Amino acid sequence: MKYTNFKNLFKIIISYLNRRVNPDSNQIYHVWKVIDFVNAKHVFDIGANKGQFAKELKSVGYKDIIISFEPLSRAYKKLSISAQKNHNWIVHPQCAVGNENTEIEINESENSVSSSILPILSAHTDAAADSKYINKTLVKCIKLDSVIDEYIQGDQKYFIKIDTQGFEWQVLEGADKAISNAEGVMVELSLIPLYENQHLWNEIIDKLKNKGFQIWSIHEGFTDDNNGRTLQIDAIFLKNKYLNY
């Protein structure tokens, strides 16, 4: 009886591990394969929250450097604790990333991950009730270009992930140099307005196209369970030179 239970437990563990690394069932595995394909040894994690993306990326095999940025105090504290336990994971001093070096007010959502500098719209809160704002706080805001040289020297290859809940355009505006020299960019694209005055998917695609990038892969992000409509996707853009592979 004990042997049977052990066999069942073993099967469950193997099934779980297969789901973690099977490229057909785990989109973070796809992300890692893209990063590996372009040989990027640094990943800039813009909008890290509690470190979910970095932890998942490391769990599927990424072993090189991650630099995380997060503005919210509670999330930043948990992010920092997680990073201390992991090799090659750097947490930049607490700040938002945008299009100028300044101080800016950020809205904290109940679920934390939907927090944004921009006011939230009903299309978002209707799809996720826990995305409603519960607090506002003043935080430091920096341009990625103002700190990129702290982490990248010479011709080191790097990849940028941007998940800033409607503020992606402003991050790109403040990262002209950083984006131009990156091998790839992963950015959250909203298909409909979820935050006031945000730039939508087509505008960001055009902006990155003008920088010499094309879409390499697309992953589903946020879907409204009430009606099945996809509201946000994650897209990976690579430099045009990779399109010939």
Side-chain angles (χ1 to χ4, degrees):
M1 186 66 168
K2 289 183 179 179
Y3 177 71
T4 301
N5 290 339
F6 177 79
K7 284 180 63 179
N8 290 338
L9 178 61
F10 182 75
K11 289 178 180 179
I12 291 171
I13 293 172
I14 293 299
S15 176
Y16 171 77
L17 292 175
N18 284 336
R19 290 197 302 273
R20 295 289 291 176
V21 300
N22 185 342
D24 293 328
S25 63
N26 189 341
Q27 77 174 38
I28 199 69
Y29 182 89
H30 287 147
V31 176
W32 171 56
K33 296 306 292 183
V34 176
I35 293 170
D36 184 58
F37 171 64
V38 301
N39 198 32
K41 301 301 183 182
H42 293 71
V43 172
F44 288 86
D45 177 18
I46 312 298
N49 197 246
K50 301 169 188 174
Q52 298 93 318
F53 173 81
K55 285 189 284 189
E56 289 183 2
L57 191 60
K58 284 182 172 292
S59 76
V60 295
Y62 180 77
K63 293 180 173 62
D64 294 299
I65 296 171
I66 297 175
I67 306 104
S68 293
F69 296 76
E70 172 57 37
L72 293 174
S73 295
R74 286 187 294 178
Y76 185 85
K77 183 177 181 180
K78 293 181 180 180
L79 168 67
S80 299
I81 291 171
S82 294
Q84 289 172 3
K85 302 174 184 177
N86 286 269
H87 182 60
N88 281 344
W89 188 354
I90 301 166
V91 178
H92 189 83
Q94 184 178 344
C95 67
V97 179
N99 57 351
E100 57 182 331
N101 295 323
T102 185
E103 284 192 330
I104 198 165
E105 194 172 63
I106 186 169
N107 303 286
E108 185 174 1
S109 66
E110 184 179 316
N111 65 16
S112 182
V113 295
S114 299
S115 303
S116 177
I117 291 167
L118 303 177
I120 200 167
L121 296 175
S122 59
H124 197 308
T125 53
D126 288 347
D130 61 353
S131 65
K132 64 183 179 182
Y133 290 157
I134 58 173
N135 190 33
K136 290 184 178 183
T137 185
L138 193 66
V139 298
K140 181 180 179 181
C141 182
I142 64 167
K143 297 189 293 185
L144 184 58
D145 276 353
S146 68
V147 299
I148 190 74
D149 290 338
E150 294 180 22
Y151 300 107
I152 301 298
Q153 286 79 43
D155 59 356
Q156 292 177 322
K157 292 184 176 182
Y158 60 91
F159 182 91
I160 301 173
K161 165 260 182 185
I162 305 170
D163 181 0
T164 51
Q165 297 301 309
F167 210 63
E168 290 78 18
W169 182 272
Q170 288 83 350
V171 175
L172 295 173
E173 286 279 281
D176 187 67
K177 174 186 174 182
I179 296 296
S180 296
N181 294 325
E183 300 302 310
V185 181
M186 179 177 176
V187 59
E188 187 176 63
L189 305 177
S190 289
L191 306 185
I192 68 169
L194 299 175
Y195 299 90
E196 284 185 19
N197 302 317
Q198 77 173 118
H199 292 259
L200 297 181
W201 62 277
N202 51 327
E203 297 172 278
I204 292 179
I205 289 174
D206 287 344
K207 189 174 188 65
L208 286 169
K209 184 176 181 180
N210 290 334
K211 286 285 188 183
F213 290 82
Q214 295 285 345
I215 288 181
W216 185 262
S217 63
I218 294 175
H219 309 276
E220 184 178 350
F222 175 32
T223 297
D224 187 343
D225 289 337
N226 297 311
N227 53 31
R229 184 177 190 179
T230 300
L231 305 178
Q232 290 176 327
I233 59 173
D234 293 316
I236 293 178
F237 297 78
L238 294 186
K239 281 186 170 175
N240 289 337
K241 65 181 181 181
Y242 293 109
L243 273 294
N244 295 324
Y245 285 86

